[in-house]
Structures are given as structure tokens and as C-alpha cells.
Amino acid sequence: MLPDRAADILALTQIEKRFGAVRALNGVDLAVRTGECVGLVGHNGAGKSTLMHVVAGTLKADSGAIMIGGVEQASYRVAIAQSLGIRCVFQELSLCPNLTVAENARIYHPALRGLRWRQNASELIRAKLDEIFPGHGIATGEVIRDLSIGKRQMVEVARAFTVTHDPLRLVVLDEPTSSLDSRTAGQLLGFVRRAVATGISCILISHLLSEILDHCARVVVMRDGKVVASDEAAQFDRDRLIIAMGTAATSRQASFRNAAARRQEAPLRVRARPARQHDGTELRAHAGEIIGLAGLSGHGQAQLLLDIFKASTTRSEPIEVTAPVAIIAGDRQSEGIFPLWSIAENIAVRSIGRLRKGIFIAPRREEQLAREWQEKIKIRTPDVRNNILSLSGGNQQKALFARALASDARIILMDDPTRGVDVATKFEIYELIRAETDRGRTFLWYTTETEELANCDRVYVFRNGRIAAELNRDELTEEAVIQSSFHSEPWPTST
């Protein structure tokens, strides 16, 4: 049942948006009631983020009407959206990396002036961080570029909910938990529920369908730039959502063939001990194994992946690497993509050696490699020669996957690689990983999504920069991971 239009804080009617020959939005209608949390789902490239940019005023629709609080906006832009209480937290974070946390909060609130503006901005953002993410460990004087991607996401979310003079009426959260561990994500979603109860409206975009079903009152499904389904959340389950999104993938996660015994007899590919590990415990990965790295975000998992990557080119004790390595970065904007390059160039950069013709790179070979992986991993683009930023965030992540898998690397390091990737694409990625392990490739997989750990042969749980537990597949439960994450001393590892 659709909400009463008289109670709408936001109403979009027949919104159209084109980028050249690509029709990103094709007559979209969307309404959000006051004090309602609406879930917006769809595959990468379905038009969700483009629609939210229209809501934020950062993109101008080619046609259609925008009404805020029942008043049509004839000239709509960012400043008007802000003054009307519309805030957006985009999947690609918009913080200024060279400014502090407090200075980034000041950008939202020009009313913070005078000699005490820095102190006032600091108190404002600290209070909101404390309210949403108790125990966050973020100092308001820290420079954004020095924070982990998870902490940056926490700052961006907290900033969106701060209030001075302008009202706060609607907050768009585009994949807000994609870089958060399960505990921090739970803190955020609990806060969203409380905020909605006070009359604030939210649009929640997430590829974690459980978040949508558990925390939204209504669900809107987009496909190919259109709204294809809209109903109360109680009328959906996971399977109905997946069907509405237009994929044949089943809702049950594909289980990987358990070949741990055979893989243990395979050659050792990686042997690594975290820098803070003083008890002799080490990570071991053999050819054809999928090794999971788990635990609360920021406890050394990503750092160990970087240390292993460095050790692949420079001898580094106590890390041993016996084969070529590729890494799939978790922070694709600052560590993954080359923003001035084409899609083809971004995919082929790890394979330059075999694409050369003499001393030059052969453009035809480069494009052929990119097209092969575009088809294999289903990157949505009309032309691989387009700039990488023409892709949606999820499709940019696919390009990073293509770069690693197209290379000669036998060891693939994955730093939360399915961040912002839709459920159907996740299934395709899982199948690719399965096929590559059968060919002897080794995967080290850090993920903040606990359910993805079921794809691993073994899981190392990290706490305070050390391995706190090693769990074999038959020992792996969410409870075991959580208990290991909070245990005060390292657990004995499995033999």
C-alpha cells in the first residue's frame, strides 16, 4: 500500500536522466513519508545512486518534478536541498581528506563562525559520533586521510545527522555499512531506527538484503533505471526481493567445495605472522585454499594483507610469499582505481607484461583483455574505452576484480572486495573464486560480512593486531567469530 501523498517529505515524479546514449533514469516515481525508512535495492547500475544524486541536488534531472514537503522545487540544487533538511551519505565518500574531522563538520554548517567555530564544530561532531558509534575512538582533530575507511564512513554518517540552524528532515544512506564491521553496523542501524521514531525520514540503500528487510518500513526495487516493485517490507522476503531485482541466482549462498584435506597437501603459498604477534602463531595458506580474515574492523586484517603484498616484491621477515600476488583494494577510490584512465586501462594495468608489442603496450590486446573480462564478470558499460568513473561504484569494484583475475598472480589478496556489490554479482564472484581455486590459485579474503566467511576453508580471527583464533570450516559460526573478536587473549589455533 502506497503512503498518503499529503504526508510525503519527498515526492519524485517521472524523473528522467541521460548520460549521452545511456538512460540512467527512465520515468522514476518515488515518495518518502515523514518518519519513514524506505529501502532502495537493485543491481549495480540500476539507477539508485543516480536517483539519490538528483535528490541531493548534485545532479539536475532532465525532466520530472521534485516536491519537498508538498512544495514543488522549480530550481533545485545542493544549497536548496541542504536548507530544506535533505542530507546524503554517498557510497563514494565526500569528505575532504586534507581537513580534520571537525573541519569537515564545519563544511555542513556555515553558521559555525567566530573565534570558537573550531571548538563548536568539534563538540558538534563528537557528540553525534558518541551517540551513533559509542567507543568509536575517533579524535575530532585527526586528519581524514589518516583514518581507516571504516572510520571515515563513521564520520560521514555522523556529519549527516548533525544539526545547527537548518532542519534535518531526510537522510539518504547509500551503502552506509559497507565498510563497517558487524558491531558498528548494528550501532548505526539501531540509531537509524531511533531517528526515524523521532520523525526523521531515511532512504537506505544496501546490498545486504537482511538490513533492508529488518530495518525498513517499505521497499522500492529498481532495475534498468525504473522502479519495478514497491511494497511494504512485510510483503517481501529475500527470495521475492531477488526475483524483483531480476536475477536467477538463488537466495542461498553458494557453498564452496570442501577440499581442505587436498589443499593442505598442496605447496605453501603464504606464511605470515602479524607484527604484533609474539606467541609464534602464524597464518598459512596453501595453493587452492581460501583463507578468511575476520574480526572487528581495524584490528590488523587489512594491514597484514598490505604486508604480504609488500613481501611479494621485497623479502620481509616473518613473511614468506612463494608466488606472484595481486590485491583487490577495499578503498577503491584512493587505493584501487586510476580515475583518469579508461576501464580497459584499469583492468589491464596488472597485465602489462603480456600486452606489450616491443616496448609499447598494444591497444588492441589491451582492449581485447578488457572485453573478455567485461563479459566474464558482467561489467555494465557500452564501451570499455570509457573512463572508469563512468561506471557505478559496484561496477568499478568488478573492474578491480577483473584486474586481479586477469593477471598472472597465483595469490589474490582481497580487502573486503564485495563492498557495494549487489547480491547477484556476489554469487558470480563466488563462482569465479571457486573456479580459480580449482586451478590452484590462493585467496586471502578479509570481509566485514560474516556470512561470506562460509566460503572459506579456514578463518583467522584478529584482535588488537594479532591472530586471536583459527577456525576450521566445521568450527565456523557467527558466535565463534564474535567470541574470538572480544576474547582478551589469543585462542589456541586449530591443528
Side-chain angles (χ1 to χ4, degrees):
M1 183 175 178
L2 293 176
D4 177 10
R5 292 262 174 189
D8 292 346
I9 179 61
L10 170 72
L12 306 178
T13 306
Q14 289 297 295
I15 298 296
E16 301 263 351
K17 183 63 184 178
R18 285 182 175 273
F19 298 100
V22 178
R23 178 180 281 183
L25 299 174
N26 186 9
V28 175
D29 293 339
L30 176 69
V32 181
R33 299 185 68 178
T34 302
E36 179 184 40
C37 185
V38 174
L40 185 60
V41 299
H43 294 324
N44 297 125
K48 308 182 301 297
S49 293
T50 301
L51 185 64
M52 293 307 101
H53 276 286
V54 171
V55 171
T58 51
L59 274 180
K60 180 177 174 59
D62 296 332
S63 62
I66 300 175
M67 296 183 71
I68 306 294
V71 178
E72 185 168 353
Q73 305 298 314
S75 176
Y76 190 68
R77 57 187 186 277
V78 174
I80 292 175
Q82 291 273 0
S83 68
L84 293 173
I86 310 296
R87 307 274 182 83
C88 288
V89 176
F90 293 110
Q91 185 178 353
E92 309 301 342
L93 303 183
S94 61
L95 298 171
C96 296
N98 60 320
L99 300 182
T100 66
V101 173
E103 288 166 346
N104 271 276
R106 164 65 174 77
I107 292 172
Y108 257 31
H109 301 289
L112 294 175
R113 297 173 181 159
L115 296 177
R116 290 172 51 86
W117 75 262
R118 195 181 302 275
Q119 180 180 341
N120 292 337
S122 180
E123 292 172 354
L124 181 71
I125 189 66
R126 183 190 300 115
K128 193 56 66 175
L129 281 166
D130 290 344
E131 183 181 0
I132 304 175
F133 304 108
H136 52 80
I138 300 170
T140 58
E142 287 187 89
V143 177
I144 292 297
R145 64 167 168 261
D146 296 333
L147 298 177
S148 68
I149 187 172
K151 288 187 174 181
R152 275 180 268 161
Q153 191 146 28
M154 292 161 68
V155 172
E156 180 115 31
V157 168
R159 182 177 70 163
F161 283 95
T162 54
V163 178
T164 51
H165 288 73
D166 290 334
L168 180 61
R169 306 169 80 182
L170 170 68
V171 179
V172 175
L173 299 170
D174 189 351
E175 299 288 350
T177 65
S178 60
S179 296
L180 305 180
D181 58 51
S182 57
R183 181 190 64 164
T184 314
Q187 290 175 334
L188 170 58
L189 294 170
F191 172 79
V192 168
R193 188 183 294 273
R194 298 192 299 273
V196 168
T198 67
I200 296 172
S201 302
C202 282
I203 297 175
L204 175 61
I205 301 175
S206 177
H207 290 307
L208 298 179
L209 301 186
S210 59
E211 291 184 353
I212 297 294
L213 294 171
D214 293 345
H215 296 277
C216 299
R218 191 159 49 89
V219 179
V220 175
V221 184
M222 290 188 69
R223 187 168 71 236
D224 298 328
K226 300 178 182 178
V227 171
V228 295
S230 178
D231 210 337
E232 304 295 328
Q235 302 303 312
F236 286 96
D237 58 19
R238 186 180 174 89
D239 288 336
R240 185 186 169 194
L241 273 182
I242 290 174
I243 291 169
M245 288 162 62
T247 178
T250 63
S251 61
R252 185 166 54 188
Q253 184 168 332
S255 61
F256 279 42
R257 178 170 55 85
N258 189 353
R262 176 177 64 81
R263 289 168 178 162
Q264 285 286 352
E265 298 172 359
L268 184 69
R269 285 277 170 77
V270 178
R271 180 183 60 80
R273 187 169 71 248
R276 297 180 62 183
Q277 197 86 37
H278 304 303
D279 62 356
T281 301
E282 61 183 12
L283 176 150
R284 287 176 172 264
H286 295 78
E289 273 195 310
I290 305 161
I291 302 299
L293 279 64
L296 299 179
S297 177
H299 279 247
Q301 306 93 326
Q303 184 59 54
L304 185 61
L305 292 181
L306 289 175
D307 291 344
I308 292 170
F309 184 71
K310 293 174 185 175
S312 67
T313 56
T314 305
R315 186 173 179 83
S316 174
E317 291 292 341
I319 296 176
E320 177 186 348
V321 180
T322 65
V325 174
I327 189 167
I328 302 171
D331 186 353
R332 60 176 166 267
Q333 291 303 308
S334 62
E335 300 173 357
I337 65 169
F338 294 91
L340 300 181
W341 292 9
S342 70
I343 300 164
E345 290 167 331
N346 268 275
I347 291 174
V349 65
R350 181 59 179 75
S351 305
I352 287 176
R354 60 192 173 95
L355 298 177
R356 287 188 310 203
K357 189 173 183 180
I359 63 172
F360 299 104
I361 299 171
R364 186 172 297 177
R365 293 179 188 174
E366 181 180 72
E367 187 173 338
Q368 182 179 357
L369 177 72
R371 288 189 183 282
E372 174 188 342
W373 280 92
Q374 175 200 4
E375 182 177 343
K376 188 174 292 188
I377 207 167
K378 297 182 174 60
I379 299 172
R380 292 171 62 98
T381 180
D383 193 336
V384 294
R385 292 170 295 185
N386 288 344
N387 182 271
I388 187 73
L389 296 181
S390 67
L391 298 178
S392 67
N395 278 288
Q396 290 176 27
Q397 197 70 17
K398 291 184 189 180
L400 297 187
F401 247 100
R403 177 194 299 170
L405 297 180
S407 75
D408 64 350
R410 305 305 296 162
I411 301 166
I412 310 295
L413 310 177
M414 305 193 299
D415 183 0
D416 217 4
T418 62
R419 174 177 172 261
V421 174
D422 65 70
V423 64
T425 303
K426 286 181 182 180
F427 293 144
E428 294 164 2
I429 288 172
Y430 301 157
E431 292 291 341
L432 275 172
I433 294 173
R434 176 192 298 173
E436 294 300 318
T437 56
D438 287 342
R439 297 186 182 99
R441 266 182 164 161
T442 301
F443 289 82
L444 272 64
W445 186 349
Y446 169 49
T447 175
T448 54
E449 297 182 31
T450 304
E451 64 182 28
E452 287 194 327
L453 297 173
N455 297 320
C456 301
D457 296 303
R458 288 179 291 118
V459 172
Y460 292 91
V461 185
F462 282 66
R463 174 178 167 79
N464 293 332
R466 298 181 296 166
I467 296 172
E470 178 185 346
L471 304 174
N472 289 322
R473 179 173 300 193
D474 57 359
E475 303 170 308
L476 185 61
T477 63
E478 184 173 4
E479 292 75 14
V481 172
I482 292 172
Q483 189 172 2
S484 301
S485 300
F486 286 94
H487 203 269
S488 59
E489 294 295 334
W491 283 20
T493 57
S494 300
T495 58

